[in-house]
Amino acid sequence: WESAIDHAIKQNLEYVPPYGTGASLYVRPFLFGSGPKLGLGPSPEYTFCVLVCPVGSYYKTVGLQPVKGLVASEFDRVAPRGIGDCKAAGNYAADLDSMHHCQKMGFPIALYLDSAQHKYVEEFNTSNFVAITKDGKYVTTNSPRTVLNSVTNRSLCEMAEKDFGMAVERRDIDFEAEVDTWQEVGAVGTAVVITPIESLQRGDKVHSFSAPETLQKLHDRYLEIQRGELPDNHGWMRTVVP
């Protein structure tokens, strides 16, 4: 795993964006069934690959610029006992219709609620959900069967707790019951790191949030560790090319 990632990076060093540009080299390991099989069932053979690509801001924003979001009330991303926690192509395919609908309405991002009751927060199109509450807690979902276990979110949780002394809660989040307790809201993931959410619209009602202050601090500290500007006290980093 690591040797394949290292090899892909070493072979594409000229595509690593220069320091200070705000861009990065996105690394995507993936696995696909490549064996001779048409019937329904596991493939007898799999191919493991790693691709890399230089990337900038995922939502075409400058800096930590908040975006407006839509609650995807008419769509479900995953089944309650499906494979929503897996990094599988089918999970993203299920999001395409909803994403297109959302973008036609002028929203770059949508938030899904649970498909069983349309009550509890799950995640954004391609990112985990995070809220900073008005009493300073870092709150994110605990949905082990329906939400991707984001490495970025796990890292931010650790950093919020250990570096900033924040209380961190991973639990069910009742949208209507709790939305007014959120000071800041963010979408977090590998590509977006943190994208602040300016507002969330559900039906005719718009819930607005404050400009990112705590999320800005978390974002800046996270990137400073990534770029080697601050010591890595968490054991996240390793040298690929000395």
Side-chain angles (χ1 to χ4, degrees):
W1 172 272
E2 289 189 354
S3 64
I5 291 172
D6 293 355
H7 180 75
I9 294 172
K10 290 176 182 178
Q11 294 300 311
N12 292 277
L13 288 177
E14 63 271 29
Y15 293 104
V16 176
Y19 174 81
T21 61
S24 59
L25 188 71
Y26 184 80
V27 182
R28 166 56 62 213
F30 64 100
L31 186 75
F32 64 91
S34 53
K37 184 178 180 69
L38 289 176
L40 180 62
S43 174
E45 178 183 283
Y46 293 86
T47 299
F48 172 65
C49 306
V50 178
L51 64 83
V52 297
C53 179
V55 296
S57 170
Y58 191 85
Y59 291 106
K60 308 295 190 294
T61 56
V62 178
L64 216 60
Q65 180 180 334
V67 298
K68 295 180 179 180
L70 177 71
V71 178
S73 300
E74 299 178 9
F75 297 89
D76 295 325
R77 191 183 75 86
V78 297
R81 296 177 181 85
I83 58 166
D85 59 325
C86 301
K87 197 81 171 177
N91 285 335
Y92 293 90
D95 176 56
L96 294 178
D97 192 24
S98 170
M99 184 184 296
H100 180 66
H101 172 78
C102 171
Q103 292 172 347
K104 281 179 63 178
M105 294 180 64
F107 296 92
I109 193 170
L111 177 68
Y112 289 98
L113 304 183
D114 74 289
S115 57
Q117 302 180 67
H118 284 196
K119 177 179 180 180
Y120 297 103
V121 173
E122 291 214 321
E123 65 177 347
F124 292 100
N125 302 100
T126 59
S127 317
N128 277 189
F129 170 93
V130 165
I132 305 300
T133 62
K134 291 178 180 178
D135 59 356
K137 296 175 183 175
Y138 182 112
V139 178
T140 190
T141 55
N142 180 35
S143 304
R145 288 293 301 273
T146 55
V147 173
L148 287 168
N149 187 12
S150 164
V151 173
T152 304
N153 196 7
R154 294 205 310 269
S155 301
L156 290 170
C157 284
E158 181 179 333
M159 194 169 64
E161 188 172 34
K162 294 183 178 179
D163 296 7
F164 292 93
M166 297 175 64
V168 174
E169 295 182 357
R170 280 188 172 271
R171 56 175 175 78
D172 292 340
I173 302 173
D174 185 327
F175 181 86
E176 292 295 343
E178 300 187 46
V179 63
D180 291 333
T181 70
W182 302 336
Q183 185 77 18
E184 304 172 35
V185 171
V188 303
T190 305
V192 302
V193 185
I194 300 177
T195 294
I197 305 301
E198 177 182 327
S199 61
L200 286 170
Q201 180 172 329
R202 187 180 191 188
D204 296 328
K205 191 170 184 180
V206 178
H207 303 277
S208 298
F209 311 107
S210 299
E213 293 185 9
T214 301
L215 290 179
Q216 181 79 59
K217 293 176 183 177
L218 291 167
H219 173 272
D220 292 350
R221 175 70 65 88
Y222 191 78
L223 290 186
E224 286 166 351
I225 294 173
Q226 277 191 336
R227 294 190 295 248
E229 297 167 356
L230 287 178
D232 172 22
N233 298 321
H234 302 275
W236 298 335
M237 308 289 286
R238 64 187 183 84
T239 301
V240 175
V241 180

